[in-house]
Amino acid sequence: MFHEGGIPLLDWRENLEFDGRGTLWVAHITKGRVEGYAPDGTLKTSFPVSGAGGIRRGPDGMMYVNFGVNPLTPVGGIVRFDPTAAHPKPEKVVSGISGINGLAIDTEGNFYLSRELSTGILKIRPDGTKDEEWTKKANVFGTNGLEIVGNQLYASVITDTSSPVVRIPLNDPARHTTVVKLSKGPLGIKLLDDLTAFNGDLVVASFRDGELIRVNPETGRSCVLVSGLRMPSSVRVARAFGDNDPRRDLFVVEASGRIVKVTVG
C-alpha cells in the first residue's frame, strides 16, 4: 500500500501522473486539490484545484490538470503548473467548458478531453481554440479514460453496457473502431474508468468490479490482471519514480482514497 484511504467517495482520488522527475501527482476530486508525493509516500506539496480530474504531463514538461470535473463545479477547463517549482501555482490554459473528465495530450501539445454524458471527444489546440471538426468526427458517446499510443487515441466508455474500449486515429478520427467489448450484457457493465499503455498492451480500470483488465489492442484479447481493488479510477505506469520498475510497477488511485502500488509478475 502506497497511501491509505479515508472515507470512501469523500476521499476520492480521481487521477494520477508521474512527472518523470521523481514526483507522483494526484488529483483529489472531492477535496479539490492536487497532491505531489515522493517515492517513499511522503506528501511533498499540495495546492487547490477545484474539481481536479484528469492529469497529464505535456510535451513541454509542464503538468496539466482538468478542473471543474466535480458536478458541483459545472464550469471547467484545464490548468497547468510547473512540477519543478517549490510551491506550484496553477494557471488557467482553457476555461468555459463543462462535463469533462479524462485528459490526454499529444506530442504537439493538443489536448483531448473525454465527456461521460456527451458525444464527441473534445480536441483543443495548444492556443486554447477548439477543433470542432475533429471533435465532430470523434463521435463516441460517454468516454472516460484516454491514452495516446503512437498516432492512436484509446478511450474507455463508461456509459455503454458492453464496456467497450475504442481506438480513434488522431489523423482520421471518423475511422474510430471498437477494440473490445468487456461486458456481455447490462448486468455485467464494468463502468470502465481510466486506462494506460503497459508493455505493448492497455490496462483499464473497472470502477465497478475493482479490477485492472489487460487488453491487447491488436487482437482485443483481454484478461483480469488484478482484482480486489476498491473503486479504482485511474492507473499509470511508474516512470522515474524511485526504484519502481516501469516494466512491472503500476500505481492506482481509488474512490476509496487509497493509492495502491501493483507489481505485475
Side-chain angles (χ1 to χ4, degrees), residues 59 105-112 123 125-127:
I105 309 172
D106 67 20
T107 56
E108 297 177 357
N110 295 295
F111 304 104
Y112 302 86
K123 180 180 178 181
R125 302 181 185 93
D127 64 3

Side-chain angles (χ1 to χ4, degrees), residues 188-225:
I189 187 171
K190 296 284 186 182
L191 293 181
L192 297 182
D193 213 302
D194 206 9
L195 74 166
T196 194
F198 178 63
N199 294 340
D201 291 331
L202 301 169
V203 175
V204 57
S206 167
F207 187 88
R208 174 185 161 175
D209 292 348
E211 297 173 342
L212 296 182
I213 303 169
R214 191 169 191 162
V215 175
N216 182 314
E218 300 303 320
T219 66
R221 293 185 63 180
S222 66
C223 66
V224 175
L225 191 64

Side-chain angles (χ1 to χ4, degrees), residues 141-169:
F141 181 86
T143 54
N144 187 307
L146 299 174
E147 175 76 322
I148 293 174
V149 182
N151 61 357
Q152 307 290 325
L153 174 65
Y154 291 93
S156 61
V157 180
I158 193 169
T159 54
D160 191 319
T161 56
S162 69
S163 303
V165 175
V166 178
R167 179 192 296 111
I168 303 110

Side-chain angles (χ1 to χ4, degrees), residues 17 19 23-37 43-56 62-67 78-92:
E17 176 75 309
D19 63 10
T23 302
L24 166 61
W25 296 96
V26 174
H28 197 309
I29 190 169
T30 48
K31 294 188 179 178
R33 67 189 185 201
V34 169
E35 305 166 330
Y37 290 90
L43 179 65
K44 296 165 63 176
T45 187
S46 175
F47 55 90
V49 173
S50 180
I55 179 168
R56 292 291 179 264
M62 298 284 278
M63 301 296 293
Y64 293 82
V65 193
N66 289 348
F67 70 91
I78 306 170
V79 296
R80 71 178 166 211
F81 65 90
D82 183 353
T84 66
H87 303 286
K89 295 181 180 179
E91 59 176 341
K92 286 185 181 179

